[in-house]
Amino acid sequence: MNVEKSLIYFRMHIYTRDSMVKIAFIGVGKIGQTIAYSVIFDGLASEVILYDIIPELPEKFEHELRHAMATRGLSTEVIGTNSLDDVANADIILIMAGKPRKPGMSRRDLFVDNAKIQIDLAKQLPPRNPGALYIMVANPVDMMASVFMRFSKQLTISTGDTVETMRMRSYISKKLKVPVTKVTGYVAGEHGEDAVVLWSTVKVNGKPFEEVAKGVTKEEVENYVKSIPGEIIRVMGGTTWGPATIIKDIVRAIVLNEGRVMSIATPRTYKDEIIHISVPIVVGAEIGPSLEGVLPESDKERLNKSVEDFYKVYKENLDHLLQVIKQ
Ligand SMILES: NC(=O)c1ccc[n+]([C@@H]2O[C@H](COP(=O)([O-])OP(=O)(O)OC[C@H]3O[C@@H](n4cnc5c(N)ncnc54)[C@H](O)[C@@H]3O)[C@@H](O)[C@H]2O)c1
Ligand SMILES: O=C(O)C[C@H](O)C(=O)O
């Protein structure tokens, strides 16, 4: 696949009354279950496949979902399975399969263990799911998307900084006591340590952040965005409700062809690799164009630094991984 820019145009089913969308969830632990539930209860899929390696987990989760759907009269066809053979002909495949980090860990610490899972899935999923769009959730999510796409040659996006974007907006909303719908703006770069708040895009009631940020500093906002997931993991054992709802909205934007600007990570060619970096981009039945080209130099410089750092760390990890799997 020749991916020259971060703009991707791909056609896929547009969810209308007469076209059905089949969505597969690979890894139905904490975040996978919450995303699947949210997708079904938003009416975004006509058929859902739940796959995990834990015996009976997908099947029992299927029962749970059927019980919940019964009270709402929902007729989504749900199948829980421990066999990858059953994951076939899906339109969208979300991959949550992977270890989560423990308190004190960086997402990047998960690279080798979770990359091995993605390489295995990259071999097994595409033959049975021609033309599927893959949405990576497992961390380090952008690097896992790059690994999966490298080994599968299939169109893969990462949930990227959609999560940081909503964390940033919610924090500013709370601190300035304004409705979150009055806060706009995006976070870009890598999901995690190298996330970059695109301050030129951040506005409150239509005014630039600097003009209205009474007593709230940019550093404070950036620290919150980067530290809050680790704090939630420390106390609650994992992040679920926030990311799952946000990730469900990525699926919603695609399936309902909403054309919503979201900071997902799309593939781009950088030096000798395809890497996944988040920039605000139009998300619908087609993905693109992105706002990257219209960012001011101040934001572009910080974003480019994040891209360079991502590539350096990714390449080091990838080269190490290739040595490990050759052994
Ligand atoms: N992108 C985001 O914003 C975001 C948000 C939350 C969690 N995550 C990431 O998602 C991943 C899962 O997090 P979680 O909290 O659900 O963890 P979890 O341990 O609750 O669930 C992971 C699930 O993956 C399954 N699994 C492992 N290997 C598998 C394989 N080869 N095939 C299929 N399933 C497999 C496990 O059996 C488990 O059920 C982690 O990497 C976590 O960091 C990302
Ligand atoms: O922080 C994590 O490890 C989970 C996820 O990447 C998140 O940002 O919620």
Side-chain angles (χ1 to χ4, degrees):
M1 174 178 290
N2 178 22
V3 178
E4 276 318 304
K5 292 202 175 98
S6 62
L7 307 186
I8 311 169
Y9 290 92
F10 69 99
R11 291 300 302 164
M12 63 166 298
H13 297 294
I14 294 176
Y15 186 73
T16 63
R17 245 183 292 286
D18 55 5
S19 86
M20 296 295 142
V21 176
K22 187 172 184 179
I23 301 180
F25 296 84
I26 311 299
V28 283
K30 277 190 196 68
I31 191 73
Q33 289 174 25
T34 322
I35 301 171
Y37 174 88
S38 306
V39 163
I40 289 171
F41 277 72
D42 240 23
L44 299 177
S46 55
E47 195 174 342
V48 161
I49 314 168
L50 312 162
Y51 169 76
D52 200 294
I53 55 172
I54 295 177
E56 296 188 79
L57 172 61
E59 189 251 343
K60 294 303 178 286
F61 180 39
E62 174 195 330
H63 284 285
E64 279 267 62
L65 288 170
R66 287 181 182 278
H67 304 162
M69 290 192 291
T71 189
R72 295 275 292 278
L74 293 178
S75 55
T76 308
E77 185 47 42
V78 179
I79 302 161
T81 180
N82 286 126
S83 165
L84 267 179
D85 289 342
D86 295 331
V87 185
N89 302 313
D91 299 296
I92 298 177
I93 300 179
L94 291 103
I95 301 179
M96 290 63 62
K99 289 180 183 166
R101 63 177 168 147
K102 293 187 170 46
M105 282 176 74
S106 149
R107 298 174 185 84
R108 290 173 174 176
D109 295 335
L110 301 167
F111 184 98
V112 173
D113 287 345
N114 286 353
K116 287 179 187 169
I117 295 171
Q118 308 320 321
I119 292 172
D120 177 54
L121 293 172
K123 290 191 189 101
Q124 299 202 61
L125 287 168
R128 300 181 185 88
N129 298 277
L133 167 70
Y134 292 86
I135 302 180
M136 186 56 68
V137 177
N139 270 318
V141 65
D142 306 315
M143 292 188 187
M144 291 303 99
S146 304
V147 167
F148 184 86
M149 189 161 173
R150 189 181 202 273
F151 285 86
S152 69
K153 304 286 184 280
Q154 301 299 304
L155 178 58
T156 311
I157 62 176
S158 146
T159 55
D161 283 321
T162 48
V163 179
E164 277 92 340
T165 293
M166 294 306 155
R167 286 170 175 157
M168 176 270 288
R169 293 187 190 180
S170 69
Y171 184 78
I172 291 173
S173 160
K174 180 177 179 186
K175 295 296 277 186
L176 295 181
K177 297 183 176 55
V178 298
V180 70
T181 49
K182 301 297 184 191
V183 182
T184 55
Y186 299 91
V187 178
E190 183 189 3
H191 172 70
E193 286 78 4
D194 269 1
V196 173
V197 178
L198 300 176
W199 286 109
S200 66
T201 67
V202 181
K203 296 201 170 30
V204 181
N205 285 319
K207 295 193 176 72
F209 176 79
E210 297 82 349
E211 281 180 30
V212 295
K214 296 183 194 61
V216 183
T217 66
K218 290 182 178 179
E219 291 70 29
E220 180 186 338
V221 175
E222 290 168 351
N223 289 339
Y224 173 81
V225 167
K226 293 185 182 176
S227 62
I228 191 61
E231 283 300 285
I232 293 169
I233 290 168
R234 181 176 61 81
V235 176
M236 296 178 74
T239 61
T240 43
W241 304 105
T245 308
I246 296 160
I247 292 167
K248 177 268 295 176
D249 274 356
I250 297 172
V251 175
R252 183 186 172 89
I254 293 169
V255 167
L256 300 187
N257 192 21
E258 288 183 329
R260 182 173 170 183
V261 177
M262 306 180 91
S263 195
I264 61 170
T266 55
R268 66 178 68 197
T269 303
Y270 187 82
K271 296 184 183 171
D272 57 342
E273 292 292 344
I274 287 180
I275 63 171
H276 287 72
I277 295 289
S278 291
V279 288
I281 191 166
V282 177
V283 180
E286 297 183 336
I287 293 186
S290 91
L291 303 187
E292 186 171 1
V294 296
L295 292 173
E297 274 318 304
S298 55
D299 278 342
K300 265 190 193 158
E301 271 162 35
R302 293 165 63 235
L303 179 58
N304 291 340
K305 188 177 171 308
S306 174
V307 172
E308 186 55 43
D309 184 53
F310 176 98
Y311 172 80
K312 181 171 161 295
V313 173
Y314 174 63
K315 197 66 183 162
E316 281 166 10
N317 279 294
L318 185 65
D319 291 346
H320 171 61
L321 174 72
L322 294 175
Q323 292 304 322
V324 167
I325 57 179
K326 266 199 202 114
Q327 280 158 9

